[in-house]
Amino acid sequence: MSQEKVDRYKESKATRRERQRKARRKQIMMQIGLLVVAVLLVVWIGYSVVRSVADNKPKTAVEVKYDDVNQYLTELNTEPAAEEEAPVEEVPTDEEATE
């Protein structure tokens, strides 16, 4: 081997570990990036499916009768007048009870 080939081999051998680390880092970053894109794609597809299923569900209408509620409220409004007419018992305090 000529001296130039020997020098190139030594130089490539000296930087080989650094190049391998750099290539490994690049490969790992690429895998992480692809994983993130794949996860985002799956989440987006899942969200779209759930949303389309929810939009296609039939909406159920509920009818509420407020007759009993209105009757209850009118009874509440009329009760205070009836309570004002009723006599109120006075409760003796501790001082009056001991006397």
Side-chain angles (χ1 to χ4, degrees):
M1 289 170 66
S2 69
Q3 188 61 37
E4 291 176 15
K5 285 184 177 180
V6 171
D7 290 341
R8 274 189 278 154
Y9 176 75
K10 285 183 180 181
E11 185 180 322
S12 82
K13 188 174 180 182
T15 60
R16 184 180 302 158
R17 185 173 278 174
E18 184 179 321
R19 282 184 290 140
Q20 287 176 345
R21 284 182 188 165
K22 193 179 280 189
R24 251 188 257 131
R25 266 189 251 133
K26 186 176 179 181
Q27 184 180 9
I28 289 172
M29 294 303 282
M30 182 67 88
Q31 289 174 346
I32 290 173
L34 289 174
L35 180 67
V36 167
V37 169
V39 167
L40 288 176
L41 184 64
V42 167
V43 168
W44 177 63
I45 289 171
Y47 175 76
S48 298
V49 167
V50 168
R51 199 170 90 197
S52 68
V53 167
D55 289 344
N56 291 336
K57 273 188 179 177
K59 306 288 190 255
T60 57
V62 177
E63 186 177 323
V64 178
K65 294 183 180 179
Y66 288 103
D67 297 338
D68 292 333
V69 174
N70 289 334
Q71 181 183 358
Y72 176 71
L73 290 175
T74 55
E75 287 177 7
L76 284 179
N77 290 335
T78 58
E79 281 185 23
E83 287 180 7
E84 290 176 7
E85 296 172 5
V88 178
E89 290 185 33
E90 292 186 22
V91 178
T93 60
D94 290 336
E95 293 175 7
E96 293 175 356
T98 56
E99 290 177 1

